[in-house]
Amino acid sequence: MKKKSKNKIIKVRNLTKSFDNNLILNNINLDLFEKESLAIIGKSGSGKSVLLKCIIGLLTPNKGSIKIDGREIVNSSSKDKEKILLDFGVTFQNGALFDSLSVWENIVFRTIKFKKLSKNDAKNLALSIILNLGLDKNILNLYPSELSGGMQKRVAIARAICDKPKILLFDEPTSGLDPITGSIIDDLIKNTVSRLGVTAITITHDMSSVFKFADRVILINNNQIEWVGEPKKMNNSKNQTIKNFLKNK
Ligand SMILES: Nc1ncnc2c1ncn2[C@@H]1O[C@H](COP(=O)(O)OP(=O)(O)OP(=O)(O)O)[C@@H](O)[C@H]1O
Ligand SMILES: [Mg+2]
């Protein structure tokens, strides 16, 4: 296994999240090490996306602490949150591109806020990223509504990685994609982590993806982290949910 940093970049402690009386996450503890690639698996509705949204401060837990590089995000001011969020590149499950911006404008949206890039340089930056994702240069000037679902997904990934954030969070980056495109995304996640030294959390139900890019896997089930381990350890796991996930691989 690759040698990983011992620095904990994300520390989740006793995280509990419910909506009214509907308990979703119960007392979750999780450490993420720098330069680690973590996969989160679990049945639909188990709380994977909720956990991700808590980590970036979009949802506030009922209880617990989440530290990003030592900085508490739970109940922090919106100014502090904004600062912490600069470390993140995120893709949401539904893509969530800006409808009124073209593809290239979407991709460089944050980068041009902080770096003075000419329009030409910004467009070229966007171009280099989309080519790596198997997209065609002709889409740069299109708008999200003019793209297929899979293309939108990849543009969202391009936007997340554009300014080389420290931590990447991907929510179902390959769902709905054909296997070849899915494989391009898997490789991209793997390479981004190993080459750029990025830390990544990826929610996926695609077990072949997990084996490709994850250093460690967590299974969320019954409101808790029910299983943690290296991907290859899943093969001998007695956990029924893990077995079911592997069966449908
Ligand atoms: N904003 C919200 N308000 C109320 N309930 C919510 C909210 N967000 C999520 N939930 C509930 O929390 C539960 C977990 O949702 P979540 O989106 O985390 O599931 P998931 O594990 O990501 O599932 P999937 O694999 O289908 O994406 C679901 O029952 C959902 O209805
Ligand atoms: Mg989800």
Side-chain angles (χ1 to χ4, degrees), residues 215-244:
D215 298 310
R216 200 156 54 106
V217 188
I218 64 171
L219 165 73
I220 300 186
N221 203 27
N222 296 323
N223 317 111
Q224 298 197 312
I225 296 181
E226 198 175 86
W227 192 91
V228 189
E230 286 174 41
K232 62 178 185 226
K233 296 256 166 71
M234 288 192 293
N235 292 323
N236 304 320
S237 171
K238 299 204 164 49
N239 181 292
Q240 196 50 48
T241 313
I242 298 262
K243 282 185 173 175
N244 289 342

PDB file of all heavy atoms in Angstrom, residues 215-244:
ATOM      1  N   ASP A 215      -8.274   3.935  -1.089  1.00  0.00           N
ATOM      2  CA  ASP A 215      -7.330   3.341  -0.139  1.00  0.00           C
ATOM      3  C   ASP A 215      -8.101   2.687   1.001  1.00  0.00           C
ATOM      4  O   ASP A 215      -7.653   1.729   1.607  1.00  0.00           O
ATOM      5  CB  ASP A 215      -6.444   4.433   0.481  1.00  0.00           C
ATOM      6  CG  ASP A 215      -5.600   5.132  -0.561  1.00  0.00           C
ATOM      7  OD1 ASP A 215      -4.955   4.415  -1.344  1.00  0.00           O
ATOM      8  OD2 ASP A 215      -5.585   6.376  -0.593  1.00  0.00           O
ATOM      9  N   ARG A 216      -9.265   3.271   1.282  1.00  0.00           N
ATOM     10  CA  ARG A 216     -10.050   2.789   2.408  1.00  0.00           C
ATOM     11  C   ARG A 216     -11.534   2.969   2.077  1.00  0.00           C
ATOM     12  O   ARG A 216     -11.894   3.880   1.329  1.00  0.00           O
ATOM     13  CB  ARG A 216      -9.694   3.618   3.644  1.00  0.00           C
ATOM     14  CG  ARG A 216     -10.039   2.999   4.987  1.00  0.00           C
ATOM     15  CD  ARG A 216      -9.143   3.591   6.094  1.00  0.00           C
ATOM     16  NE  ARG A 216      -9.179   5.028   6.130  1.00  0.00           N
ATOM     17  CZ  ARG A 216      -9.813   5.747   7.067  1.00  0.00           C
ATOM     18  NH1 ARG A 216     -10.446   5.164   8.041  1.00  0.00           N
ATOM     19  NH2 ARG A 216      -9.788   7.070   7.021  1.00  0.00           N
ATOM     20  N   VAL A 217     -12.345   2.110   2.628  1.00  0.00           N
ATOM     21  CA  VAL A 217     -13.783   2.148   2.357  1.00  0.00           C
ATOM     22  C   VAL A 217     -14.525   2.241   3.681  1.00  0.00           C
ATOM     23  O   VAL A 217     -14.140   1.581   4.651  1.00  0.00           O
ATOM     24  CB  VAL A 217     -14.260   0.832   1.694  1.00  0.00           C
ATOM     25  CG1 VAL A 217     -15.703   0.943   1.243  1.00  0.00           C
ATOM     26  CG2 VAL A 217     -13.374   0.419   0.560  1.00  0.00           C
ATOM     27  N   ILE A 218     -15.582   3.034   3.731  1.00  0.00           N
ATOM     28  CA  ILE A 218     -16.489   2.925   4.877  1.00  0.00           C
ATOM     29  C   ILE A 218     -17.880   2.591   4.361  1.00  0.00           C
ATOM     30  O   ILE A 218     -18.296   3.045   3.291  1.00  0.00           O
ATOM     31  CB  ILE A 218     -16.531   4.197   5.764  1.00  0.00           C
ATOM     32  CG1 ILE A 218     -17.086   5.404   5.003  1.00  0.00           C
ATOM     33  CG2 ILE A 218     -15.174   4.505   6.361  1.00  0.00           C
ATOM     34  CD1 ILE A 218     -17.335   6.606   5.906  1.00  0.00           C
ATOM     35  N   LEU A 219     -18.548   1.759   5.126  1.00  0.00           N
ATOM     36  CA  LEU A 219     -19.939   1.416   4.808  1.00  0.00           C
ATOM     37  C   LEU A 219     -20.829   2.088   5.844  1.00  0.00           C
ATOM     38  O   LEU A 219     -20.646   1.901   7.050  1.00  0.00           O
ATOM     39  CB  LEU A 219     -20.135  -0.104   4.896  1.00  0.00           C
ATOM     40  CG  LEU A 219     -21.603  -0.565   4.941  1.00  0.00           C
ATOM     41  CD1 LEU A 219     -22.276  -0.404   3.582  1.00  0.00           C
ATOM     42  CD2 LEU A 219     -21.703  -2.022   5.409  1.00  0.00           C
ATOM     43  N   ILE A 220     -21.773   2.880   5.371  1.00  0.00           N
ATOM     44  CA  ILE A 220     -22.758   3.454   6.291  1.00  0.00           C
ATOM     45  C   ILE A 220     -24.011   2.595   6.222  1.00  0.00           C
ATOM     46  O   ILE A 220     -24.548   2.334   5.143  1.00  0.00           O
ATOM     47  CB  ILE A 220     -23.092   4.915   5.927  1.00  0.00           C
ATOM     48  CG1 ILE A 220     -21.826   5.764   5.989  1.00  0.00           C
ATOM     49  CG2 ILE A 220     -24.156   5.473   6.873  1.00  0.00           C
ATOM     50  CD1 ILE A 220     -22.054   7.241   5.800  1.00  0.00           C
ATOM     51  N   ASN A 221     -24.419   2.130   7.393  1.00  0.00           N
ATOM     52  CA  ASN A 221     -25.618   1.296   7.465  1.00  0.00           C
ATOM     53  C   ASN A 221     -26.228   1.460   8.852  1.00  0.00           C
ATOM     54  O   ASN A 221     -25.485   1.625   9.826  1.00  0.00           O
ATOM     55  CB  ASN A 221     -25.249  -0.175   7.223  1.00  0.00           C
ATOM     56  CG  ASN A 221     -26.429  -0.983   6.741  1.00  0.00           C
ATOM     57  OD1 ASN A 221     -27.359  -0.439   6.124  1.00  0.00           O
ATOM     58  ND2 ASN A 221     -26.416  -2.274   7.020  1.00  0.00           N
ATOM     59  N   ASN A 222     -27.540   1.424   8.938  1.00  0.00           N
ATOM     60  CA  ASN A 222     -28.221   1.598  10.220  1.00  0.00           C
ATOM     61  C   ASN A 222     -27.687   2.800  10.994  1.00  0.00           C
ATOM     62  O   ASN A 222     -27.355   2.710  12.168  1.00  0.00           O
ATOM     63  CB  ASN A 222     -28.081   0.332  11.079  1.00  0.00           C
ATOM     64  CG  ASN A 222     -28.762  -0.851  10.423  1.00  0.00           C
ATOM     65  OD1 ASN A 222     -29.820  -0.687   9.807  1.00  0.00           O
ATOM     66  ND2 ASN A 222     -28.154  -2.027  10.497  1.00  0.00           N
ATOM     67  N   ASN A 223     -27.550   3.901  10.291  1.00  0.00           N
ATOM     68  CA  ASN A 223     -27.167   5.200  10.887  1.00  0.00           C
ATOM     69  C   ASN A 223     -25.719   5.283  11.374  1.00  0.00           C
ATOM     70  O   ASN A 223     -25.338   6.258  12.012  1.00  0.00           O
ATOM     71  CB  ASN A 223     -28.082   5.577  12.072  1.00  0.00           C
ATOM     72  CG  ASN A 223     -29.531   5.304  11.798  1.00  0.00           C
ATOM     73  OD1 ASN A 223     -30.137   4.415  12.387  1.00  0.00           O
ATOM     74  ND2 ASN A 223     -30.085   6.055  10.876  1.00  0.00           N
ATOM     75  N   GLN A 224     -24.934   4.232  11.105  1.00  0.00           N
ATOM     76  CA  GLN A 224     -23.569   4.235  11.639  1.00  0.00           C
ATOM     77  C   GLN A 224     -22.553   3.783  10.607  1.00  0.00           C
ATOM     78  O   GLN A 224     -22.925   3.261   9.561  1.00  0.00           O
ATOM     79  CB  GLN A 224     -23.505   3.310  12.841  1.00  0.00           C
ATOM     80  CG  GLN A 224     -24.429   3.813  13.930  1.00  0.00           C
ATOM     81  CD  GLN A 224     -24.146   3.216  15.274  1.00  0.00           C
ATOM     82  OE1 GLN A 224     -24.012   2.004  15.374  1.00  0.00           O
ATOM     83  NE2 GLN A 224     -24.076   4.057  16.288  1.00  0.00           N
ATOM     84  N   ILE A 225     -21.283   3.977  10.937  1.00  0.00           N
ATOM     85  CA  ILE A 225     -20.245   3.386  10.095  1.00  0.00           C
ATOM     86  C   ILE A 225     -20.122   1.933  10.531  1.00  0.00           C
ATOM     87  O   ILE A 225     -19.617   1.636  11.601  1.00  0.00           O
ATOM     88  CB  ILE A 225     -18.907   4.127  10.229  1.00  0.00           C
ATOM     89  CG1 ILE A 225     -19.070   5.571   9.721  1.00  0.00           C
ATOM     90  CG2 ILE A 225     -17.817   3.405   9.434  1.00  0.00           C
ATOM     91  CD1 ILE A 225     -17.822   6.415   9.779  1.00  0.00           C
ATOM     92  N   GLU A 226     -20.645   1.052   9.688  1.00  0.00           N
ATOM     93  CA  GLU A 226     -20.763  -0.340  10.112  1.00  0.00           C
ATOM     94  C   GLU A 226     -19.509  -1.144   9.764  1.00  0.00           C
ATOM     95  O   GLU A 226     -19.233  -2.175  10.370  1.00  0.00           O
ATOM     96  CB  GLU A 226     -21.972  -0.945   9.402  1.00  0.00           C
ATOM     97  CG  GLU A 226     -22.477  -2.207  10.030  1.00  0.00           C
ATOM     98  CD  GLU A 226     -23.744  -2.673   9.337  1.00  0.00           C
ATOM     99  OE1 GLU A 226     -23.632  -3.382   8.312  1.00  0.00           O
ATOM    100  OE2 GLU A 226     -24.841  -2.331   9.797  1.00  0.00           O
ATOM    101  N   TRP A 227     -18.783  -0.663   8.780  1.00  0.00           N
ATOM    102  CA  TRP A 227     -17.587  -1.404   8.341  1.00  0.00           C
ATOM    103  C   TRP A 227     -16.564  -0.410   7.814  1.00  0.00           C
ATOM    104  O   TRP A 227     -16.907   0.537   7.122  1.00  0.00           O
ATOM    105  CB  TRP A 227     -17.980  -2.391   7.239  1.00  0.00           C
ATOM    106  CG  TRP A 227     -16.915  -3.394   6.898  1.00  0.00           C
ATOM    107  CD1 TRP A 227     -16.754  -4.631   7.445  1.00  0.00           C
ATOM    108  CD2 TRP A 227     -15.855  -3.232   5.936  1.00  0.00           C
ATOM    109  NE1 TRP A 227     -15.663  -5.257   6.887  1.00  0.00           N
ATOM    110  CE2 TRP A 227     -15.090  -4.420   5.960  1.00  0.00           C
ATOM    111  CE3 TRP A 227     -15.476  -2.206   5.074  1.00  0.00           C
ATOM    112  CZ2 TRP A 227     -13.973  -4.609   5.141  1.00  0.00           C
ATOM    113  CZ3 TRP A 227     -14.365  -2.391   4.260  1.00  0.00           C
ATOM    114  CH2 TRP A 227     -13.626  -3.599   4.295  1.00  0.00           C
ATOM    115  N   VAL A 228     -15.301  -0.629   8.175  1.00  0.00           N
ATOM    116  CA  VAL A 228     -14.193   0.192   7.651  1.00  0.00           C
ATOM    117  C   VAL A 228     -13.064  -0.736   7.254  1.00  0.00           C
ATOM    118  O   VAL A 228     -12.775  -1.692   7.980  1.00  0.00           O
ATOM    119  CB  VAL A 228     -13.587   1.133   8.736  1.00  0.00           C
ATOM    120  CG1 VAL A 228     -12.606   2.117   8.106  1.00  0.00           C
ATOM    121  CG2 VAL A 228     -14.649   1.857   9.513  1.00  0.00           C
ATOM    122  N   GLY A 229     -12.431  -0.484   6.145  1.00  0.00           N
ATOM    123  CA  GLY A 229     -11.264  -1.298   5.800  1.00  0.00           C
ATOM    124  C   GLY A 229     -10.737  -1.000   4.412  1.00  0.00           C
ATOM    125  O   GLY A 229     -11.316  -0.193   3.676  1.00  0.00           O
ATOM    126  N   GLU A 230      -9.650  -1.650   4.078  1.00  0.00           N
ATOM    127  CA  GLU A 230      -9.114  -1.532   2.725  1.00  0.00           C
ATOM    128  C   GLU A 230     -10.048  -2.284   1.772  1.00  0.00           C
ATOM    129  O   GLU A 230     -10.646  -3.290   2.174  1.00  0.00           O
ATOM    130  CB  GLU A 230      -7.726  -2.173   2.647  1.00  0.00           C
ATOM    131  CG  GLU A 230      -6.651  -1.356   3.306  1.00  0.00           C
ATOM    132  CD  GLU A 230      -5.341  -2.115   3.319  1.00  0.00           C
ATOM    133  OE1 GLU A 230      -4.999  -2.759   2.309  1.00  0.00           O
ATOM    134  OE2 GLU A 230      -4.666  -2.073   4.359  1.00  0.00           O
ATOM    135  N   PRO A 231     -10.135  -1.831   0.508  1.00  0.00           N
ATOM    136  CA  PRO A 231     -11.054  -2.488  -0.425  1.00  0.00           C
ATOM    137  C   PRO A 231     -10.894  -4.010  -0.471  1.00  0.00           C
ATOM    138  O   PRO A 231     -11.876  -4.749  -0.437  1.00  0.00           O
ATOM    139  CB  PRO A 231     -10.702  -1.849  -1.764  1.00  0.00           C
ATOM    140  CG  PRO A 231     -10.157  -0.520  -1.419  1.00  0.00           C
ATOM    141  CD  PRO A 231      -9.473  -0.659  -0.096  1.00  0.00           C
ATOM    142  N   LYS A 232      -9.641  -4.487  -0.511  1.00  0.00           N
ATOM    143  CA  LYS A 232      -9.459  -5.950  -0.677  1.00  0.00           C
ATOM    144  C   LYS A 232      -9.994  -6.729   0.528  1.00  0.00           C
ATOM    145  O   LYS A 232     -10.355  -7.901   0.410  1.00  0.00           O
ATOM    146  CB  LYS A 232      -8.000  -6.283  -0.960  1.00  0.00           C
ATOM    147  CG  LYS A 232      -7.052  -5.907   0.141  1.00  0.00           C
ATOM    148  CD  LYS A 232      -5.629  -6.328  -0.210  1.00  0.00           C
ATOM    149  CE  LYS A 232      -4.718  -6.060   0.970  1.00  0.00           C
ATOM    150  NZ  LYS A 232      -3.479  -5.412   0.692  1.00  0.00           N
ATOM    151  N   LYS A 233     -10.085  -6.062   1.678  1.00  0.00           N
ATOM    152  CA  LYS A 233     -10.619  -6.737   2.868  1.00  0.00           C
ATOM    153  C   LYS A 233     -12.122  -7.017   2.737  1.00  0.00           C
ATOM    154  O   LYS A 233     -12.680  -7.838   3.469  1.00  0.00           O
ATOM    155  CB  LYS A 233     -10.377  -5.882   4.118  1.00  0.00           C
ATOM    156  CG  LYS A 233      -8.908  -5.669   4.456  1.00  0.00           C
ATOM    157  CD  LYS A 233      -8.490  -6.540   5.632  1.00  0.00           C
ATOM    158  CE  LYS A 233      -6.988  -6.628   5.802  1.00  0.00           C
ATOM    159  NZ  LYS A 233      -6.391  -5.389   6.287  1.00  0.00           N
ATOM    160  N   MET A 234     -12.748  -6.323   1.809  1.00  0.00           N
ATOM    161  CA  MET A 234     -14.190  -6.544   1.627  1.00  0.00           C
ATOM    162  C   MET A 234     -14.463  -7.971   1.145  1.00  0.00           C
ATOM    163  O   MET A 234     -15.498  -8.541   1.447  1.00  0.00           O
ATOM    164  CB  MET A 234     -14.768  -5.558   0.606  1.00  0.00           C
ATOM    165  CG  MET A 234     -14.865  -4.139   1.139  1.00  0.00           C
ATOM    166  SD  MET A 234     -15.846  -3.080   0.056  1.00  0.00           S
ATOM    167  CE  MET A 234     -14.824  -2.994  -1.378  1.00  0.00           C
ATOM    168  N   ASN A 235     -13.508  -8.494   0.379  1.00  0.00           N
ATOM    169  CA  ASN A 235     -13.710  -9.829  -0.207  1.00  0.00           C
ATOM    170  C   ASN A 235     -13.941 -10.912   0.839  1.00  0.00           C
ATOM    171  O   ASN A 235     -14.644 -11.880   0.584  1.00  0.00           O
ATOM    172  CB  ASN A 235     -12.509 -10.200  -1.078  1.00  0.00           C
ATOM    173  CG  ASN A 235     -12.438  -9.323  -2.309  1.00  0.00           C
ATOM    174  OD1 ASN A 235     -13.471  -8.975  -2.872  1.00  0.00           O
ATOM    175  ND2 ASN A 235     -11.227  -8.940  -2.707  1.00  0.00           N
ATOM    176  N   ASN A 236     -13.332 -10.717   2.024  1.00  0.00           N
ATOM    177  CA  ASN A 236     -13.512 -11.724   3.079  1.00  0.00           C
ATOM    178  C   ASN A 236     -14.473 -11.275   4.167  1.00  0.00           C
ATOM    179  O   ASN A 236     -14.582 -11.923   5.201  1.00  0.00           O
ATOM    180  CB  ASN A 236     -12.162 -12.019   3.750  1.00  0.00           C
ATOM    181  CG  ASN A 236     -11.131 -12.442   2.738  1.00  0.00           C
ATOM    182  OD1 ASN A 236     -11.466 -13.184   1.814  1.00  0.00           O
ATOM    183  ND2 ASN A 236      -9.914 -11.961   2.879  1.00  0.00           N
ATOM    184  N   SER A 237     -15.135 -10.159   3.917  1.00  0.00           N
ATOM    185  CA  SER A 237     -15.993  -9.619   4.973  1.00  0.00           C
ATOM    186  C   SER A 237     -17.252 -10.468   5.159  1.00  0.00           C
ATOM    187  O   SER A 237     -17.819 -10.996   4.197  1.00  0.00           O
ATOM    188  CB  SER A 237     -16.389  -8.191   4.627  1.00  0.00           C
ATOM    189  OG  SER A 237     -17.367  -7.756   5.517  1.00  0.00           O
ATOM    190  N   LYS A 238     -17.670 -10.584   6.426  1.00  0.00           N
ATOM    191  CA  LYS A 238     -18.905 -11.324   6.712  1.00  0.00           C
ATOM    192  C   LYS A 238     -20.099 -10.376   6.748  1.00  0.00           C
ATOM    193  O   LYS A 238     -21.232 -10.807   6.926  1.00  0.00           O
ATOM    194  CB  LYS A 238     -18.767 -12.046   8.056  1.00  0.00           C
ATOM    195  CG  LYS A 238     -17.627 -13.052   8.045  1.00  0.00           C
ATOM    196  CD  LYS A 238     -17.839 -14.137   9.095  1.00  0.00           C
ATOM    197  CE  LYS A 238     -16.958 -15.347   8.854  1.00  0.00           C
ATOM    198  NZ  LYS A 238     -15.540 -15.049   8.613  1.00  0.00           N
ATOM    199  N   ASN A 239     -19.818  -9.088   6.598  1.00  0.00           N
ATOM    200  CA  ASN A 239     -20.913  -8.107   6.642  1.00  0.00           C
ATOM    201  C   ASN A 239     -21.863  -8.335   5.457  1.00  0.00           C
ATOM    202  O   ASN A 239     -21.447  -8.333   4.299  1.00  0.00           O
ATOM    203  CB  ASN A 239     -20.320  -6.687   6.602  1.00  0.00           C
ATOM    204  CG  ASN A 239     -21.404  -5.635   6.668  1.00  0.00           C
ATOM    205  OD1 ASN A 239     -22.188  -5.475   5.746  1.00  0.00           O
ATOM    206  ND2 ASN A 239     -21.456  -4.934   7.783  1.00  0.00           N
ATOM    207  N   GLN A 240     -23.138  -8.530   5.765  1.00  0.00           N
ATOM    208  CA  GLN A 240     -24.089  -8.909   4.720  1.00  0.00           C
ATOM    209  C   GLN A 240     -24.250  -7.818   3.667  1.00  0.00           C
ATOM    210  O   GLN A 240     -24.361  -8.108   2.472  1.00  0.00           O
ATOM    211  CB  GLN A 240     -25.445  -9.263   5.361  1.00  0.00           C
ATOM    212  CG  GLN A 240     -26.378 -10.036   4.447  1.00  0.00           C
ATOM    213  CD  GLN A 240     -25.738 -11.260   3.787  1.00  0.00           C
ATOM    214  OE1 GLN A 240     -25.083 -12.084   4.439  1.00  0.00           O
ATOM    215  NE2 GLN A 240     -25.885 -11.380   2.465  1.00  0.00           N
ATOM    216  N   THR A 241     -24.234  -6.568   4.092  1.00  0.00           N
ATOM    217  CA  THR A 241     -24.411  -5.478   3.116  1.00  0.00           C
ATOM    218  C   THR A 241     -23.214  -5.435   2.163  1.00  0.00           C
ATOM    219  O   THR A 241     -23.376  -5.283   0.944  1.00  0.00           O
ATOM    220  CB  THR A 241     -24.563  -4.120   3.832  1.00  0.00           C
ATOM    221  OG1 THR A 241     -25.499  -4.278   4.885  1.00  0.00           O
ATOM    222  CG2 THR A 241     -25.043  -3.044   2.893  1.00  0.00           C
ATOM    223  N   ILE A 242     -22.017  -5.595   2.716  1.00  0.00           N
ATOM    224  CA  ILE A 242     -20.820  -5.625   1.856  1.00  0.00           C
ATOM    225  C   ILE A 242     -20.949  -6.784   0.861  1.00  0.00           C
ATOM    226  O   ILE A 242     -20.704  -6.622  -0.338  1.00  0.00           O
ATOM    227  CB  ILE A 242     -19.540  -5.831   2.710  1.00  0.00           C
ATOM    228  CG1 ILE A 242     -19.356  -4.675   3.690  1.00  0.00           C
ATOM    229  CG2 ILE A 242     -18.309  -6.074   1.830  1.00  0.00           C
ATOM    230  CD1 ILE A 242     -18.415  -3.601   3.285  1.00  0.00           C
ATOM    231  N   LYS A 243     -21.363  -7.935   1.366  1.00  0.00           N
ATOM    232  CA  LYS A 243     -21.507  -9.099   0.483  1.00  0.00           C
ATOM    233  C   LYS A 243     -22.488  -8.795  -0.645  1.00  0.00           C
ATOM    234  O   LYS A 243     -22.249  -9.133  -1.802  1.00  0.00           O
ATOM    235  CB  LYS A 243     -22.026 -10.300   1.277  1.00  0.00           C
ATOM    236  CG  LYS A 243     -20.961 -10.982   2.108  1.00  0.00           C
ATOM    237  CD  LYS A 243     -21.587 -12.198   2.727  1.00  0.00           C
ATOM    238  CE  LYS A 243     -20.577 -13.056   3.442  1.00  0.00           C
ATOM    239  NZ  LYS A 243     -21.228 -14.164   4.129  1.00  0.00           N
ATOM    240  N   ASN A 244     -23.610  -8.157  -0.284  1.00  0.00           N
ATOM    241  CA  ASN A 244     -24.612  -7.832  -1.299  1.00  0.00           C
ATOM    242  C   ASN A 244     -24.064  -6.843  -2.327  1.00  0.00           C
ATOM    243  O   ASN A 244     -24.319  -6.965  -3.514  1.00  0.00           O
ATOM    244  CB  ASN A 244     -25.867  -7.253  -0.646  1.00  0.00           C
ATOM    245  CG  ASN A 244     -26.649  -8.311   0.107  1.00  0.00           C
ATOM    246  OD1 ASN A 244     -26.444  -9.503  -0.120  1.00  0.00           O
ATOM    247  ND2 ASN A 244     -27.512  -7.893   1.011  1.00  0.00           N
TER     248      ASN A 244
END
